[in-house]
Amino acid sequence: MTKSIIIYHNYIPRCGGIESAVYNLAKLLDLNGYKVTICFTSCESYQSLFHYAEAGDVVRIVPDREVEADVCLIASNHDIPKQIKAKRFLQWVHSDYEKYKLKLKNVGKVEYIAVSNHASKIIKKLEGVESQVIYNLLEPDFGTDKRRVLRLVTNSRISPEKGFGRMLYLAQMLKDAGIRFVWTIYGDNSHYPNEYYGWVTKFRPIEEVQWIGYKSDVTIGLTNADYLVQLSDWEGCPYSVLEALKMGVPCLVTNWGGVDELIQDGKNGYILPMDIKEVDIDKIVKKIPRFEPMQYSSIDDWIKLIEKSNE
Protein backbone atom coordinates (compact mmCIF):
# COMPACT_ATOMS: atom_id res chain seq x y z
CA MET A 1 0.00 0.00 0.00
CA THR A 2 1.34 3.44 -0.93
CA LYS A 3 2.17 5.53 2.11
CA SER A 4 0.75 9.05 2.09
CA ILE A 5 2.41 12.18 3.43
CA ILE A 6 1.21 15.73 3.92
CA ILE A 7 3.72 18.59 3.89
CA TYR A 8 2.11 21.64 5.50
CA HIS A 9 3.44 25.16 4.97
CA ASN A 10 1.33 27.92 6.51
CA TYR A 11 2.31 30.71 4.10
CA ILE A 12 4.02 30.06 0.79
CA PRO A 13 6.12 32.98 -0.47
CA ARG A 14 7.29 33.08 -4.07
CA CYS A 15 10.83 31.99 -3.25
CA GLY A 16 13.08 31.03 -0.37
CA GLY A 17 15.01 28.18 1.20
CA ILE A 18 12.02 26.53 2.90
CA GLU A 19 10.07 26.64 -0.36
CA SER A 20 12.93 24.88 -2.16
CA ALA A 21 13.17 22.31 0.63
CA VAL A 22 9.43 21.56 0.42
CA TYR A 23 9.50 21.20 -3.36
CA ASN A 24 12.62 19.02 -3.48
CA LEU A 25 11.44 16.69 -0.73
CA ALA A 26 7.97 16.38 -2.26
CA LYS A 27 9.39 15.64 -5.70
CA LEU A 28 11.81 13.01 -4.41
CA LEU A 29 9.12 11.33 -2.30
CA ASP A 30 6.81 11.30 -5.32
CA LEU A 31 9.55 9.67 -7.42
CA ASN A 32 9.88 7.02 -4.72
CA GLY A 33 6.22 6.08 -4.83
CA TYR A 34 4.73 8.15 -2.01
CA LYS A 35 1.43 9.98 -2.34
CA VAL A 36 2.35 13.57 -1.53
CA THR A 37 -0.06 16.36 -0.64
CA ILE A 38 1.25 19.87 -0.11
CA CYS A 39 -1.10 21.85 2.13
CA PHE A 40 -1.07 25.59 2.78
CA THR A 41 -3.20 28.31 4.33
CA SER A 42 -2.17 31.29 2.20
CA CYS A 43 0.37 32.12 -0.53
CA GLU A 44 2.11 35.08 -2.13
CA SER A 45 1.76 33.89 -5.72
CA TYR A 46 -0.28 31.18 -7.41
CA GLN A 47 2.71 30.56 -9.67
CA SER A 48 4.32 28.92 -6.64
CA LEU A 49 1.38 26.55 -6.40
CA PHE A 50 1.75 25.53 -10.04
CA HIS A 51 5.39 24.75 -9.29
CA TYR A 52 4.44 22.61 -6.27
CA ALA A 53 1.82 20.81 -8.34
CA GLU A 54 4.67 19.21 -10.30
CA ALA A 55 5.60 17.29 -7.13
CA GLY A 56 2.23 16.43 -5.58
CA ASP A 57 -1.36 17.43 -4.94
CA VAL A 58 -1.82 20.98 -3.66
CA VAL A 59 -4.61 21.61 -1.14
CA ARG A 60 -5.57 24.79 0.65
CA ILE A 61 -6.57 24.39 4.29
CA VAL A 62 -10.14 25.63 4.82
CA PRO A 63 -12.32 25.42 7.96
CA ASP A 64 -14.75 22.72 6.83
CA ARG A 65 -12.44 20.22 5.06
CA GLU A 66 -10.20 17.60 6.64
CA VAL A 67 -7.07 16.23 5.00
CA GLU A 68 -5.69 12.83 6.01
CA ALA A 69 -2.34 11.06 5.58
CA ASP A 70 -0.12 8.52 7.26
CA VAL A 71 2.50 11.17 8.06
CA CYS A 72 2.33 14.96 8.25
CA LEU A 73 5.45 17.12 8.07
CA ILE A 74 5.03 20.66 9.39
CA ALA A 75 7.35 22.58 7.08
CA SER A 76 8.38 25.21 9.61
CA ASN A 77 7.48 26.53 13.07
CA HIS A 78 3.69 26.45 12.53
CA ASP A 79 0.87 25.21 14.73
CA ILE A 80 -0.69 21.97 13.50
CA PRO A 81 -4.00 22.79 11.76
CA LYS A 82 -6.93 20.90 13.29
CA GLN A 83 -8.06 19.99 9.76
CA ILE A 84 -4.99 17.76 9.24
CA LYS A 85 -5.35 14.21 10.52
CA ALA A 86 -2.28 11.97 10.55
CA LYS A 87 -0.93 8.97 12.42
CA ARG A 88 2.43 10.67 12.91
CA PHE A 89 3.61 14.27 12.91
CA LEU A 90 7.07 15.59 12.09
CA GLN A 91 8.28 19.21 12.21
CA TRP A 92 11.20 20.78 10.35
CA VAL A 93 13.64 23.09 12.15
CA HIS A 94 15.33 25.19 9.49
CA SER A 95 17.36 27.77 11.42
CA ASP A 96 19.05 28.96 14.59
CA TYR A 97 16.04 29.61 16.85
CA GLU A 98 18.23 31.42 19.37
CA LYS A 99 19.26 34.05 16.80
CA TYR A 100 15.69 34.48 15.59
CA LYS A 101 14.36 34.47 19.18
CA LEU A 102 11.77 31.83 18.31
CA LYS A 103 9.80 29.67 20.71
CA LEU A 104 9.51 26.10 19.41
CA LYS A 105 5.90 25.09 18.70
CA ASN A 106 4.18 21.71 19.07
CA VAL A 107 6.52 20.38 21.79
CA GLY A 108 5.36 16.93 22.81
CA LYS A 109 3.18 16.51 19.72
CA VAL A 110 5.78 16.01 17.00
CA GLU A 111 9.16 14.56 16.13
CA TYR A 112 11.67 17.23 15.14
CA ILE A 113 13.88 17.12 12.06
CA ALA A 114 16.72 19.68 12.06
CA VAL A 115 18.57 20.73 8.91
CA SER A 116 21.97 20.88 10.65
CA ASN A 117 23.71 19.72 13.79
CA HIS A 118 23.92 23.34 14.92
CA ALA A 119 20.15 23.83 14.61
CA SER A 120 19.62 20.56 16.47
CA LYS A 121 21.92 21.61 19.34
CA ILE A 122 20.17 24.97 19.65
CA ILE A 123 16.68 23.50 20.11
CA LYS A 124 18.12 20.99 22.56
CA LYS A 125 19.60 23.91 24.50
CA LEU A 126 16.45 26.05 24.35
CA GLU A 127 13.71 23.46 24.71
CA GLY A 128 15.39 20.27 25.84
CA VAL A 129 14.05 18.32 22.87
CA GLU A 130 15.88 15.85 20.65
CA SER A 131 15.88 16.03 16.87
CA GLN A 132 17.16 13.98 13.97
CA VAL A 133 19.47 15.77 11.55
CA ILE A 134 18.74 15.53 7.81
CA TYR A 135 20.42 18.14 5.62
CA ASN A 136 18.37 19.86 2.91
CA LEU A 137 17.99 17.79 -0.24
CA LEU A 138 18.79 18.70 -3.81
CA GLU A 139 17.20 17.18 -6.88
CA PRO A 140 19.37 14.27 -8.12
CA ASP A 141 19.90 15.94 -11.51
CA PHE A 142 20.83 19.36 -10.06
CA GLY A 143 23.88 20.74 -11.90
CA THR A 144 24.10 17.85 -14.35
CA ASP A 145 23.00 19.84 -17.41
CA LYS A 146 26.33 20.41 -19.15
CA ARG A 147 24.99 22.35 -22.12
CA ARG A 148 26.87 25.58 -22.69
CA VAL A 149 25.30 28.75 -21.28
CA LEU A 150 25.03 31.64 -23.75
CA ARG A 151 25.95 34.85 -21.90
CA LEU A 152 24.33 38.07 -23.14
CA VAL A 153 24.78 41.61 -21.82
CA THR A 154 22.97 44.86 -22.52
CA ASN A 155 24.33 48.22 -21.27
CA SER A 156 21.66 50.79 -22.06
CA ARG A 157 19.38 53.53 -20.85
CA ILE A 158 15.94 51.96 -20.50
CA SER A 159 14.03 54.11 -22.97
CA PRO A 160 11.61 53.45 -25.86
CA GLU A 161 14.09 53.77 -28.75
CA LYS A 162 16.48 51.19 -27.29
CA GLY A 163 14.47 48.23 -28.59
CA PHE A 164 13.43 46.38 -25.45
CA GLY A 165 10.41 44.97 -27.25
CA ARG A 166 12.81 43.28 -29.68
CA MET A 167 14.93 42.06 -26.80
CA LEU A 168 11.87 40.49 -25.19
CA TYR A 169 11.06 38.78 -28.49
CA LEU A 170 14.63 37.50 -28.84
CA ALA A 171 14.70 36.24 -25.26
CA GLN A 172 11.50 34.30 -25.88
CA MET A 173 12.95 32.86 -29.10
CA LEU A 174 16.00 31.60 -27.20
CA LYS A 175 13.81 30.13 -24.47
CA ASP A 176 11.49 28.44 -26.99
CA ALA A 177 14.53 26.97 -28.77
CA GLY A 178 15.68 25.35 -25.52
CA ILE A 179 18.86 27.43 -25.35
CA ARG A 180 20.47 27.77 -21.94
CA PHE A 181 21.25 31.46 -21.55
CA VAL A 182 21.62 34.27 -19.06
CA TRP A 183 20.99 37.85 -20.14
CA THR A 184 22.20 40.61 -17.81
CA ILE A 185 20.78 44.09 -18.37
CA TYR A 186 22.61 47.09 -16.93
CA GLY A 187 20.96 50.51 -16.91
CA ASP A 188 17.94 52.43 -15.68
CA ASN A 189 15.91 55.55 -16.48
CA SER A 190 16.08 58.06 -13.64
CA HIS A 191 13.91 60.57 -15.52
CA TYR A 192 11.15 58.08 -16.36
CA PRO A 193 11.36 55.25 -13.81
CA ASN A 194 8.04 53.80 -14.96
CA GLU A 195 9.70 52.93 -18.27
CA TYR A 196 12.26 50.84 -16.39
CA TYR A 197 9.76 49.10 -14.10
CA GLY A 198 7.38 48.50 -16.99
CA TRP A 199 9.99 46.49 -18.89
CA VAL A 200 11.10 44.63 -15.77
CA THR A 201 7.49 43.49 -15.36
CA LYS A 202 7.17 42.41 -19.00
CA PHE A 203 10.37 40.36 -18.83
CA ARG A 204 9.47 38.73 -15.51
CA PRO A 205 8.25 35.40 -17.00
CA ILE A 206 11.71 34.91 -18.55
CA GLU A 207 13.83 34.26 -15.48
CA GLU A 208 17.01 34.01 -17.56
CA VAL A 209 16.94 37.82 -17.88
CA GLN A 210 18.48 39.65 -14.92
CA TRP A 211 17.99 43.39 -14.33
CA ILE A 212 20.95 44.87 -12.47
CA GLY A 213 20.27 48.62 -12.70
CA TYR A 214 22.89 51.29 -13.27
CA LYS A 215 26.55 50.38 -12.75
CA SER A 216 29.45 52.74 -13.42
CA ASP A 217 31.84 49.89 -14.28
CA VAL A 218 30.34 48.03 -17.25
CA THR A 219 33.49 45.97 -17.82
CA ILE A 220 32.34 43.59 -15.10
CA GLY A 221 29.34 42.55 -17.18
CA LEU A 222 31.29 42.38 -20.43
CA THR A 223 33.96 40.09 -19.00
CA ASN A 224 33.28 36.57 -20.35
CA ALA A 225 30.16 37.75 -22.24
CA ASP A 226 29.39 36.06 -25.56
CA TYR A 227 27.53 39.07 -26.98
CA LEU A 228 26.62 42.65 -26.25
CA VAL A 229 23.00 43.09 -27.38
CA GLN A 230 21.75 46.48 -28.62
CA LEU A 231 18.56 46.21 -30.70
CA SER A 232 17.76 49.91 -31.00
CA ASP A 233 15.48 51.77 -33.40
CA TRP A 234 18.36 54.17 -34.10
CA GLU A 235 21.77 55.09 -32.74
CA GLY A 236 24.52 57.58 -33.44
CA CYS A 237 27.75 55.96 -32.27
CA PRO A 238 26.68 53.88 -29.25
CA TYR A 239 29.15 53.66 -26.41
CA SER A 240 27.88 50.21 -25.43
CA VAL A 241 28.98 48.81 -28.80
CA LEU A 242 32.34 50.60 -28.73
CA GLU A 243 33.01 49.32 -25.21
CA ALA A 244 32.17 45.76 -26.21
CA LEU A 245 34.40 45.86 -29.29
CA LYS A 246 37.28 47.31 -27.24
CA MET A 247 37.00 44.20 -25.01
CA GLY A 248 36.70 41.78 -27.94
CA VAL A 249 33.01 41.05 -27.32
CA PRO A 250 30.89 40.61 -30.48
CA CYS A 251 27.60 42.48 -30.77
CA LEU A 252 24.05 41.60 -31.75
CA VAL A 253 22.57 44.76 -33.22
CA THR A 254 19.71 45.86 -35.43
CA ASN A 255 20.32 47.46 -38.81
CA TRP A 256 20.01 51.10 -37.78
CA GLY A 257 21.56 53.72 -40.06
CA GLY A 258 25.35 53.58 -39.83
CA VAL A 259 25.57 50.32 -37.92
CA ASP A 260 27.78 48.80 -40.62
CA GLU A 261 30.45 51.38 -39.78
CA LEU A 262 31.01 49.53 -36.50
CA ILE A 263 29.78 45.97 -37.06
CA GLN A 264 30.81 43.71 -39.93
CA ASP A 265 28.20 40.97 -40.04
CA GLY A 266 29.71 37.63 -39.09
CA LYS A 267 33.12 39.11 -38.19
CA ASN A 268 32.58 41.08 -34.99
CA GLY A 269 28.88 40.47 -34.49
CA TYR A 270 25.59 40.00 -36.32
CA ILE A 271 23.27 42.63 -37.77
CA LEU A 272 19.64 41.58 -37.26
CA PRO A 273 16.58 42.87 -39.16
CA MET A 274 14.38 45.35 -37.29
CA ASP A 275 11.50 42.88 -37.02
CA ILE A 276 14.03 40.17 -35.87
CA LYS A 277 11.63 37.46 -37.02
CA GLU A 278 14.09 35.80 -39.37
CA VAL A 279 16.90 35.43 -36.84
CA ASP A 280 19.15 32.38 -37.18
CA ILE A 281 19.33 31.33 -33.53
CA ASP A 282 21.47 28.31 -34.35
CA LYS A 283 24.12 30.51 -36.00
CA ILE A 284 24.13 32.97 -33.09
CA VAL A 285 24.65 30.16 -30.58
CA LYS A 286 27.11 27.99 -32.50
CA LYS A 287 29.10 30.55 -34.51
CA ILE A 288 30.11 33.25 -32.05
CA PRO A 289 32.52 35.58 -33.88
CA ARG A 290 36.07 35.85 -32.53
CA PHE A 291 38.19 38.91 -33.24
CA GLU A 292 40.94 41.03 -31.75
CA PRO A 293 39.83 43.97 -29.57
CA MET A 294 39.25 46.98 -31.77
CA GLN A 295 38.92 50.75 -31.52
CA TYR A 296 37.87 53.09 -34.32
CA SER A 297 39.08 56.52 -33.22
CA SER A 298 41.51 57.96 -30.67
CA ILE A 299 42.38 61.26 -29.04
CA ASP A 300 44.95 61.77 -31.80
CA ASP A 301 42.10 62.42 -34.24
CA TRP A 302 40.89 65.32 -32.07
CA ILE A 303 44.40 66.66 -31.52
CA LYS A 304 45.06 66.71 -35.27
CA LEU A 305 41.81 68.60 -35.82
CA ILE A 306 42.55 71.13 -33.08
CA GLU A 307 46.12 71.72 -34.18
CA LYS A 308 45.01 72.15 -37.75
CA SER A 309 42.59 74.91 -36.71
CA ASN A 310 45.45 76.79 -35.01
CA GLU A 311 47.66 76.84 -38.08
Side-chain angles (χ1 to χ4, degrees):
M1 180 178 178
T2 301
K3 182 165 278 192
S4 58
I5 180 167
I6 290 171
I7 304 177
Y8 171 70
H9 196 2
N10 179 33
Y11 172 74
I12 299 178
R14 191 169 63 88
C15 63
I18 296 176
E19 291 64 53
S20 296
V22 169
Y23 175 80
N24 289 337
L25 177 60
K27 185 171 182 179
L28 290 168
L29 287 171
D30 179 66
L31 290 172
N32 281 274
Y34 288 82
K35 183 182 185 304
V36 181
T37 302
I38 300 169
C39 292
F40 71 102
T41 300
S42 59
C43 66
E44 179 182 358
S45 166
Y46 282 101
Q47 290 180 337
S48 301
L49 304 185
F50 294 138
H51 183 56
Y52 279 138
E54 298 171 5
D57 296 332
V58 179
V59 175
R60 186 170 195 160
I61 295 296
V62 294
D64 58 350
R65 181 170 59 186
E66 291 186 352
V67 188
E68 298 182 359
D70 296 305
V71 178
C72 174
L73 170 63
I74 306 300
S76 191
N77 198 35
H78 312 310
D79 291 315
I80 302 172
K82 63 182 181 180
Q83 295 93 331
I84 294 180
K85 308 298 180 183
K87 301 170 186 175
R88 186 177 169 211
F89 285 88
L90 312 175
Q91 182 171 317
W92 245 333
V93 178
H94 289 275
S95 60
D96 185 330
Y97 277 35
E98 190 170 37
K99 298 294 185 184
Y100 280 99
K101 296 180 172 57
L102 293 175
K103 183 72 175 176
L104 196 61
K105 294 183 178 180
N106 303 313
V107 174
K109 301 177 183 178
V110 301
E111 302 167 49
Y112 291 99
I113 312 299
V115 297
S116 69
N117 283 309
H118 178 74
S120 178
K121 290 175 183 177
I122 291 298
I123 63 167
K124 173 70 173 178
K125 170 186 172 183
L126 295 178
E127 308 282 356
V129 299
E130 300 289 344
S131 60
Q132 181 176 341
V133 175
I134 302 178
Y135 294 96
N136 285 332
L137 303 177
L138 296 174
E139 296 181 62
D141 58 353
F142 180 83
T144 59
D145 190 342
K146 301 303 182 185
R147 290 177 298 160
R148 190 181 184 283
V149 177
L150 184 71
R151 301 184 184 279
L152 308 176
V153 171
T154 292
N155 296 321
S156 174
R157 183 178 67 256
I158 316 302
S159 56
E161 78 278 8
K162 296 300 183 179
F164 283 90
R166 297 185 189 94
M167 294 182 199
L168 179 59
Y169 190 91
L170 180 60
Q172 191 62 59
M173 288 178 69
L174 291 168
K175 195 172 182 71
D176 292 344
I179 304 301
R180 293 187 77 201
F181 73 99
V182 59
W183 191 337
T184 306
I185 298 178
Y186 295 88
D188 59 20
N189 192 326
S190 57
H191 294 291
Y192 301 101
N194 287 342
E195 183 76 21
Y196 174 81
Y197 293 114
W199 283 113
V200 170
T201 300
K202 291 176 182 177
F203 273 84
R204 189 164 290 154
I206 305 179
E207 61 183 17
E208 292 86 351
V209 179
Q210 304 170 350
W211 295 79
I212 304 299
Y214 170 77
K215 296 292 180 185
S216 58
D217 184 1
V218 297
T219 65
I220 296 172
L222 288 170
T223 301
N224 297 323
D226 292 309
Y227 290 102
L228 179 283
V229 185
Q230 192 69 51
L231 305 182
S232 303
D233 295 340
W234 64 82
E235 291 284 355
C237 183
Y239 265 98
S240 62
V241 171
L242 295 176
E243 290 163 345
L245 298 178
K246 184 70 162 56
M247 292 184 64
V249 178
C251 301
L252 297 179
V253 294
T254 36
N255 59 337
W256 68 74
V259 69
D260 55 354
E261 296 177 45
L262 302 178
I263 301 300
Q264 290 77 54
D265 193 72
K267 293 184 178 181
N268 62 352
Y270 291 110
I271 300 174
L272 311 182
M274 282 291 178
D275 64 12
I276 72 164
K277 292 182 179 179
E278 300 298 326
V279 173
D280 189 340
I281 294 294
D282 192 61
K283 180 176 70 174
I284 288 173
V285 173
K286 295 181 179 179
K287 296 182 179 180
I288 300 173
R290 303 299 180 196
F291 61 97
E292 291 298 317
M294 55 195 304
Q295 182 172 326
Y296 284 93
S297 293
S298 73
I299 189 61
D300 291 341
D301 298 309
W302 279 100
I303 291 173
K304 289 177 182 177
L305 175 65
I306 293 168
E307 294 300 324
K308 181 179 179 181
S309 64
N310 289 333
E311 292 176 359

